[in-house]
Amino acid sequence: MCEEHMIESVFEPPGARRARPCKPAEARRAVQRAVAERCRTTHTACDADALSDALLVASELTTNAILHGGGVTDFQVDVDGPGVRLSVSDRSDELPVTAPPADPHGRLRHGGHGWPIVCRLSRDVRVSDLPAGGKCITAVVPLA
């Protein structure tokens, strides 16, 4: 199913298309390629820590879309100025939430760390409703 959906790449000529990432590892590779290309074309060094943050945010957004949003319906990465803009769309209208670390009986919950990680590592996070249903989460992760 994922291979049937295509996105425009920010580093390829208009009309060039490739499969959109459907798994966290694919999203991380897309971010890695975009940042590496920007560093190469601008002749600047890539900040390894900042790149790690961007890769983690891409992974968490993609994972959350898969686990809670009915799957990834669109993915965009753009290295613009001092940051990486990541947009991940899914089928769910539900807003992301931060779950308490324990349930009402005091038992520790597994998981629930993705959304707080995205919010902590990103300079700007926006959630937009999509006209056909679902949502798009856009996060800007600083590269310096």
Side-chain angles (χ1 to χ4, degrees), residues 21-70:
C22 293
K23 299 177 185 174
E26 294 167 352
R28 288 190 302 271
R29 283 191 293 274
V31 171
Q32 175 76 39
R33 281 191 306 268
V35 171
E37 178 65 16
R38 171 54 72 92
C39 291
R40 187 185 67 70
T41 60
T42 60
H43 306 291
T44 57
C46 292
D47 181 324
D49 291 335
L51 176 58
S52 292
D53 290 350
L55 295 174
L56 182 55
V57 169
S59 185
E60 291 298 338
L61 288 175
T62 306
T63 298
N64 286 349
I66 293 166
L67 293 178
H68 309 294

Side-chain angles (χ1 to χ4, degrees), residues 82-95:
V84 178
R85 182 182 324 279
L86 303 163
S87 296
V88 179
S89 300
D90 64 41
R91 292 178 177 85
S92 174
D93 296 324
E94 296 293 319
L95 296 176

Side-chain angles (χ1 to χ4, degrees), residues 1 10-11 19 25 50 63 87 90-92 98 104 107 117 124 130 133 142:
M1 177 175 145
V10 296
F11 293 110
T63 298
S87 296
D90 64 41
R91 292 178 177 85
S92 174
T98 301
R107 295 179 296 232
I117 288 170
D124 184 28
L130 297 173

